[in-house]
Amino acid sequence: MTQQVIHPMVKLQRNVQSLVNSQIIKPTDSIWKIALLYGDEWQHWKRELVDFGFTMQDPVKELLAVEGWDEE
């Protein structure tokens, strides 16, 4: 039985989707709003998002639209 490793960005994406589903943030909100909810961990996630080409002004829905997090 092989266990599939979940990419850390998938985990972030799921957490953000949960925030949207709970109406804590809206899909049209800027990604920077997530920073308020991640506190000390935000610098790590911000670096990851920037590495994947996101800006903090991009809407959350763009983060949620990503289907694969391949690091090539």
Side-chain angles (χ1 to χ4, degrees):
M1 180 183 341
T2 59
Q3 187 174 0
Q4 195 171 8
V5 177
I6 297 174
H7 194 287
M9 293 302 287
V10 171
K11 194 172 176 184
L12 175 67
Q13 194 177 32
R14 287 179 183 169
N15 289 343
V16 170
Q17 182 65 60
S18 174
L19 294 170
V20 170
N21 293 348
S22 301
Q23 298 182 341
I24 294 169
I25 58 174
K26 295 185 282 247
T28 53
D29 286 341
S30 298
I31 288 175
W32 67 264
K33 282 200 172 179
I34 303 167
L36 304 172
L37 304 165
Y38 272 89
D40 295 342
E41 294 177 41
W42 179 244
Q43 286 306 314
H44 165 75
W45 290 115
K46 180 179 177 183
R47 214 171 17 256
E48 290 287 322
L49 288 162
V50 168
D51 287 349
F52 278 102
F54 289 97
T55 71
M56 297 306 101
Q57 289 72 39
D58 288 338
V60 168
K61 64 183 174 188
E62 288 189 20
L63 168 63
L64 298 177
V66 175
E67 292 183 15
W69 295 100
D70 296 327
E71 297 183 49
E72 293 177 355

